[in-house]
Amino acid sequence: QVQLVESGGGSVQAGGSLTLSCAASGYTVSSSCMGWFRQAAGKERDWVATISTGGRTTNYAGSVKDRFTISQDNAKNTLYLQMNNLKPEDTAMYYCAACRGATFTYWGQGTQVTVSS
């Protein structure tokens, strides 16, 4: 059974930083693509970043490019999202997701990030 457990969310002021973690069990983070998504209150879930199989390539939404970094630690079987220069518009529930093939199939429960101005 695949489980993804996010942690690291919290409340920060604008300009601050947070690092989100996503610990995987029943799934090997390097075996397929993984990603981060976010959902602000009253809005649809949006894609944030993806890391390819084995961590070879990364892609980011335009709104977070150059501020967020997705990475993985194969030894810890954990996915990360380093978030710098946070803005109030980054406030959302953040979810990690893991692929089965090329499709995001497995989802965590989410961790809340709140950025105050």
Side-chain angles (χ1 to χ4, degrees):
Q1 182 179 359
V2 176
Q3 284 193 321
L4 303 174
V5 180
E6 301 97 334
S7 61
S11 297
V12 295
Q13 290 190 328
S17 299
L18 284 173
T19 300
L20 306 184
S21 300
C22 173
S25 59
Y27 184 92
T28 302
V29 298
S30 60
S31 66
S32 192
C33 57
M34 295 195 72
W36 288 95
F37 291 73
R38 67 186 181 185
Q39 187 169 18
K43 296 187 177 181
E44 294 185 352
R45 188 173 297 187
D46 291 329
W47 167 72
V48 174
T50 302
I51 188 165
S52 66
T53 303
R56 296 183 189 91
T57 61
T58 58
N59 288 285
Y60 300 90
S63 60
V64 307
K65 191 175 176 61
D66 297 326
R67 298 189 298 123
F68 291 11
T69 302
I70 188 171
S71 64
Q72 62 189 41
D73 185 326
N74 295 336
K76 295 182 178 180
N77 207 36
T78 299
L79 179 74
Y80 299 98
L81 185 69
Q82 172 70 43
M83 306 185 294
N84 297 326
N85 190 23
L86 282 160
K87 303 176 180 181
E89 52 263 42
D90 295 319
T91 294
M93 185 73 78
Y94 283 72
Y95 300 89
C96 75
C99 295
R100 182 178 179 183
T103 303
F104 287 109
T105 302
Y106 308 105
W107 296 84
Q109 295 293 324
T111 186
Q112 177 68 37
V113 172
T114 302
V115 185
S116 58
S117 58

